[in-house]
Amino acid sequence: MSGLPPEYLVYPHRRRGLDHDFYTHRNLAEAPRVAWPGGKPLALWVAVQAGHFPMDMGNKPFPMPGGTERPYPSYWDYTQRDYGNRIGIFRLIRALAARGVPATAFLSAVLAQRYPLLLRHIREAGWEVAAGGLDMGRPHHGGLPEAEERAMIREALDLLAGPDGARPKGWHSPGFSESMNTLPLLAEAGLSYVADWVNDDLPYPVTTKSGGLLAMPISWDMSDQRMLAQQHMATGDWVESVRRTMAVLRAEAEAAGGGRVLCLTITPWVMGQPHRIAALGALLDEILADGAVWPATGEAIAAHWQAQTG
Amino acid sequence: MLSEPGHYDYAPYAGRPRITWPNGARIAFWVVPNIEHYELEPPPNARRMPWTRPIPDVLGYSHRDYGNRVGFWRMAEAMARHGVRGSVSLSCAVCDHYPEIIERCCELEWELFSHGTYNTRYFYGMSEDQQREVIRENRETILRASGQSLDGWLTPALSNDETTQHILAEEGILYTLDMLHDDQPMPVKTRAGALISIPYSLEVNDVPLFGMRNTPPARYAEICKAQFDQLYAEGAESGTVLCMPVHPYLVGTPQRLAAFEEVLAHVTGHEGVWLATGREIATWWKQHHLAEVQAWIEGLPA
């Protein structure tokens, strides 16, 4: 057997720290101690993934989580997801509003064009309008030319600009997928934070040749789409995982003297189903019961973190 | 291609020589934290692409990076609280990337063994010389970082090739975890002689349980405790081994930490449990049982 090419045993990035320069390695214990408003141990961040899944999206260059699973034309997949933007999200809005909890909506930008009424309702609910790419069929990935990706980001931010011209501060790429250019392009486009890297329970700084960003700790492994849609787990399993997460983060915050972020990543077509929405409400009641959390948008959490950590 | 590994003869669970552990323990329990680094831009391997998405696979990469930033620290404290040491299945490049993790492992008196250089550099298709080069380099790295000898081996992502076990034996490795054929240590037949297989596990391994079998934390604890209870009961007749492989990016998450601790509390709450490392199990078994088991296997009717 001739073996693999010699470069297979060459390790160009074997060194102290990470094998890239987007951020530095940090141990949880060394994270800055940030006090949330009111001295609450936890910031509660509800991150809503409001995606548009085109019926002809296909599965290239990789199958999009939550994307079309059946042969074209899958009315099943398309309409089940579209339900989220017609019905499900209104249940989420109502459940959160009843409890005074704001949310960040990571929106497929084409929704602003397709469903301007949806955007109006989201803004009226006081949710943060953040960018979730153009749509779920147009992922950012390593095969994308830089100029094309730059144009995609600009178009998404233009589409999501508010009536006052305000552009989103936060970004979440479809399917948590990026190219090597995504972070610099997001910084170049003037975004403040990005929620794609699921490697921390607290924010951390990202540096790029075009400026800095804050990486926000969005949850993926505990998101409703992964657990309930992809992994076929029960609603109660998600609730229990959130409970367990809150207990650990709260104990750590109280022991370490620095706030933690409890992120609930939820999806209108998943959590907004009639059979699930009551469980979300009950869970929020439990989370809010003894005043341990500061419910906030991603933008507010990021701004607060930046202000205290410089 | 081979139709079987060829590293062991059939040896039924019934009628084996009795295995005894130190202080009359019924079961050797060992926890194997897989402390790994997955490269953002690994080279391709014809038999397996490291990532499922085009490079960079930000989701896959960052999910695993959580283990080194966050999960490890929580997991290590949890193990320390229960007096359980780890035997680290180590991507040896972690010694260079995150020396503070290695320092903590050493403070806790954990064993380090090799899980290759990176978990994105597979052994599939490597020449014998290349495999040898990796093993030797890993030995030097572990010695430099911890002062420990390299005694154990788990091929990155269980990607061993046909010749790997032979080379491990030739390079003086004491025990391998590449095979899942038993609940007790067993001799491994190689062209170079002595190598020992110590039970690893994919049944109570957190990767298949959480990532493929969609297991909620409470059920994870249930499965691991049931695995222990059975092997503990069988250990009254002859010593067994329970290996619990974990990954800091999985058990070190807030949603799973308590379930992991529940298992550790359950195990350490029993009498007659040997809280061992891989090296200790292999050394003891080699010294006390290898010859007897070997002779028994050779005497089995064909």
Side-chain angles (χ1 to χ4, degrees), chain A residues 207-220:
Chain A
T207 50
T208 80
K209 62 183 186 213
S210 309
L213 291 161
L214 194 68
M216 284 284 287
I218 191 169
S219 59
W220 164 74

Side-chain angles (χ1 to χ4, degrees), chain A residues 99-120:
Chain A
R99 294 163 177 87
V101 175
T104 297
F106 288 110
L107 287 149
S108 286
V110 298
L111 289 171
Q113 216 164 27
R114 297 173 56 85
Y115 309 145
L117 281 175
L118 170 63
L119 266 285
R120 192 199 289 178

Side-chain angles (χ1 to χ4, degrees), chain A residues 27 56 76 94 99 116 118 124 132 160 198 213 215 275-276 310:
Chain A
N27 301 336
D56 60 352
W76 175 330
R94 185 177 281 198
R99 294 163 177 87
L118 170 63
E124 280 172 11
L160 290 168
V198 294
L213 291 161
H275 66 94
R276 291 203 179 100

